[in-house]
Amino acid sequence: MTVIGIDLGTTNSVVAVTDSNGVTTTIAARDGARIVPSVIHFPAGGDIVVGDRAKSMAAVEPERVASLFKRGMGANTFLANGDDFAVDGKVWRPEELSSLVLKKLKQIAEEHLGGSVHRAVVTVPAYFGESERSATRDAAELAGLQVVRILNEPTAAAIVHGLDSRARGANVLVFDLGGGTFDVTIMRVEDNADMMVLATGGDRKLGGADFDAIIIELMAEHARKEAGIDILSEAWMIQDARDKAEDMKKELSSAETSTRTLSTGARPLPFTLSRAEFEAAIGDALSDVSDTVEVTLEESGIAAGDIDTVLMVGGSSRIPAFQKVLTSLIGREPEFSKNLDEDVARGAAVLATKLSGNADPRSELATMSIPQDIASHGLGMTTVRDARGMEEMNSIIIPSGHAVPASGSGVFCTVEDGQTGIWVRINEGDEESLDFVRQIGEGHARFGRPVPAGYPMRVELSYTADQIVRLLAYDGESGNLIGEVTVEREGALSSVQKRDAMAAIAELGVQ
Ligand code: AMP
């Protein structure tokens, strides 16, 4: 059974397959497009439309078009212009919207392969935490796909690169700036193509859509000054500005200036932006990115001069200013692959075939080891700092940067005589202060009898290879299992709701 590789992107998504010999194909939809915009149009009647055609409807029926919903993954609702995104009274959650994109990609793969597909490797930004990862898993389930592995996007890109003999025995920096997220990953590719992620950093709220928004602001200012018109007053004008802003931004990656005519509802108004002006406008992003790369390098323990390859991934890495930042930080020109927009899906497909056991034993694919990822966030438990139980803190059990799968344990004690159990809270983050970590799960560990103060409980906290979190609590003296916490995302669909949503989505026609 074929397992497909999916890059579920903020702005674009891609599906790929790898055959048993390691030959990877990015699958084209019927219209020939291999890149499917992660945009959904809900027409008043008929099938839901995903992709380019949906994108072109955004200016026509903005209230019936959803985009950028990956940014809401892990949250309970997807906000569009400040409100829950809803069409015809149905509120759509981020994982439901993502499931429609996945359903479309599944269909594209099934048409190409001539058979049904039920399993996939799906990529996520390395920086995604537990709740975004589990929402991604739910999205796949709703689309009728079992996730074989959640894979970090930069690791996927590096898998493709690692199969290329030039990258052996090298330190690789993967710079991944897409439509909605930014990731930087530093990894070591050994002579035998073994890969080890050394450090990862990023910003889950930085990407091409933000640069578009900055250009839209400049456009709005221009229209206000030159024509006294607010182009942000109508949804269709905003959408028109958004399309033009993205076009101009892309053009500025190869041209020094770009001009478009703005729709103002009155007379057409030309707007020109130079590359220098654009670079000045995104100055904050440039310095944030530069700082993140520096910090990640420091965490990896590899000096800038010892990076052998800088691999650029994600559409926004085409912006020359980011290439300049990297060249000055690392001292070497970054490399672009021929399939910049497809690398992530291709890497996912390679791993998919590898994990499915379908690789030909004589192929290079069969001997390639599965790359070891690292935890992008630390994991800890809420404990009390002093015996009086006054001050709570986060006790870190698995630090970020630890190779995954990972597990760690700690012994914690009761604070009062007669306690019969301990309320266990799991936190994501690397700080001791509870103000700076995110509580992701809680549960009760019960001793089954009153125990004295200072009685020990041993906990084992683990991350699976997908960075799914699980906690087991044991009686510190008898060794008996006394509690188990699997992290349930707050507000996540219950299993009954999931079953209903799955049935509803299976019924929907998606084009
Ligand atoms: P991805 O999520 O990797 O597909 O990246 C998509 C993002 O890359 C979108 O925000 C695009 O506008 C942006 N992008 C694509 N091509 C270019 C380009 N030539 N210059 C600047 N940004 C680009």
Side-chain angles (χ1 to χ4, degrees):
M1 269 298 213
T2 308
V3 184
I4 55 176
I6 291 180
D7 169 8
L8 182 62
T10 311
T11 44
N12 295 310
S13 296
V14 181
V15 55
V17 276
T18 298
D19 72 11
S20 55
N21 291 313
V23 177
T24 302
T25 310
T26 315
I27 310 176
R30 243 185 265 164
D31 61 4
R34 287 183 300 197
I35 292 166
V36 179
S38 309
V39 182
I40 307 169
H41 177 221
F42 296 87
D47 286 351
I48 289 170
V49 179
V50 175
D52 274 315
R53 277 174 51 223
K55 196 172 173 184
S56 59
M57 287 307 286
V60 186
E61 285 193 314
E63 67 292 346
R64 289 186 166 271
V65 174
S67 61
L68 300 178
F69 36 84
K70 180 173 169 184
R71 286 197 158 173
M73 281 302 243
N76 301 338
T77 54
F78 167 58
L79 294 178
N81 301 321
D83 287 321
D84 291 352
F85 178 78
V87 183
D88 300 331
K90 151 95 180 120
V91 173
W92 287 89
R93 298 167 59 102
E95 64 268 45
E96 289 176 317
L97 293 166
S98 298
S99 80
L100 297 173
V101 176
L102 290 167
K103 182 167 170 165
K104 166 85 178 179
L105 298 172
K106 179 175 183 279
Q107 280 173 202
I108 293 174
E110 287 175 341
E111 274 181 26
H112 171 84
L113 295 166
S116 25
V117 170
H118 302 288
R119 299 198 298 156
V121 169
V122 181
T123 60
V124 295
Y127 215 67
F128 258 18
E130 154 72 25
S131 59
E132 295 97 334
R133 284 168 197 266
S134 78
T136 304
R137 206 169 250 291
D138 285 352
E141 205 179 320
L142 294 179
L145 281 170
Q146 184 207 337
V147 176
V148 176
R149 175 72 60 86
I150 294 273
L151 176 66
N152 288 344
E153 288 163 11
T155 311
I159 289 176
V160 173
H161 201 73
L163 282 178
D164 178 331
S165 53
R166 285 173 311 139
R168 304 290 167 82
N171 297 320
V172 182
L173 183 151
V174 185
F175 180 88
D176 182 0
L177 186 58
T181 51
F182 161 56
D183 263 329
V184 54
T185 298
I186 292 158
M187 55 178 73
R188 170 90 195 145
V189 184
E190 301 293 356
D191 289 331
N192 61 1
D194 275 3
M195 266 180 246
M196 175 79 187
V197 175
L198 302 175
T200 174
D203 184 344
R204 60 187 114 187
K205 294 268 188 285
L206 178 70
D210 300 297
F211 311 140
D212 300 347
I214 288 171
I215 298 178
I216 294 171
E217 281 303 321
L218 295 174
M219 286 174 164
E221 203 180 297
H222 178 73
R224 245 189 323 266
K225 253 205 222 134
E226 298 298 319
I229 286 170
D230 179 8
I231 59 163
L232 305 181
S233 59
E234 300 271 349
W236 69 268
M237 281 202 260
I238 300 177
Q239 188 54 46
D240 186 69
R242 191 174 289 153
D243 291 343
K244 285 174 182 155
E246 188 182 5
D247 275 355
M248 292 181 83
K249 174 191 71 178
K250 288 186 184 172
E251 200 168 295
L252 288 172
S253 292
S254 51
E256 287 300 326
T257 63
S258 170
T259 303
R260 288 291 181 285
T261 305
L262 305 182
S263 306
T264 61
R267 68 181 168 88
L269 180 69
F271 170 72
T272 299
L273 189 65
S274 70
R275 187 188 287 178
E277 286 165 335
F278 174 60
E279 289 182 357
I282 61 165
D284 285 349
L286 289 168
S287 55
D288 286 353
V289 159
S290 173
D291 290 349
T292 305
V293 171
E294 277 191 305
V295 169
T296 312
L297 262 176
E298 216 173 283
E299 282 172 11
S300 75
I302 298 217
D306 292 332
I307 294 286
D308 302 294
T309 306
V310 177
L311 183 62
M312 301 296 263
V313 188
S316 302
S317 67
R318 291 196 178 94
I319 297 173
F322 289 104
Q323 297 160 32
K324 272 187 253 158
V325 164
L326 281 153
T327 309
S328 80
L329 281 175
I330 311 292
R332 64 169 65 235
E333 292 285 328
E335 286 182 27
F336 289 87
S337 84
K338 283 199 286 296
N339 299 305
L340 182 80
D341 302 299
E342 298 169 17
D343 270 357
V344 169
R346 295 172 75 86
V350 169
L351 187 64
T353 298
K354 175 95 189 145
L355 291 175
S356 68
N358 292 343
D360 184 314
R362 290 158 303 181
S363 68
E364 194 178 1
L365 188 59
T367 50
M368 177 192 126
S369 74
I370 294 176
Q372 175 117 62
D373 248 326
I374 56 167
S376 42
H377 304 273
L379 276 188
M381 271 182 52
T382 302
T383 55
V384 289
R385 201 184 284 277
D386 55 76
R388 285 170 300 131
M390 298 302 283
E391 200 191 337
E392 293 188 323
M393 62 177 278
N394 177 42
S395 290
I396 296 158
I397 295 182
I398 301 176
S400 66
H402 195 293
V404 290
S407 64
S409 63
V411 175
F412 303 96
C413 297
T414 53
V415 283
E416 278 171 30
D417 278 334
Q419 243 176 278
T420 54
I422 294 181
W423 189 250
V424 185
R425 282 170 283 173
I426 308 173
N427 306 312
E428 183 178 73
D430 292 279
E431 305 289 330
E432 279 196 354
S433 162
L434 293 176
D435 293 340
F436 300 110
V437 296
R438 177 154 66 149
Q439 185 181 317
I440 55 169
E442 57 187 341
H444 212 168
R446 292 186 173 84
F447 293 107
R449 64 198 143 86
V451 295
Y455 190 85
M457 167 185 76
R458 191 172 68 82
V459 298
E460 238 175 60
L461 195 54
S462 56
Y463 259 138
T464 63
D466 291 342
Q467 299 195 30
I468 302 284
V469 177
R470 188 164 178 233
L471 181 143
L472 297 172
Y474 298 92
D475 183 311
E477 284 190 359
S478 71
N480 293 338
L481 183 67
I482 55 167
E484 184 172 354
V485 183
T486 32
V487 171
E488 290 272 343
R489 187 158 38 93
E490 202 183 315
L493 293 173
S494 67
S495 49
V496 174
Q497 285 171 322
K498 220 189 271 175
R499 206 184 51 213
D500 292 348
M502 209 158 127
I505 286 165
E507 286 290 303
L508 289 174
V510 171
Q511 284 186 17

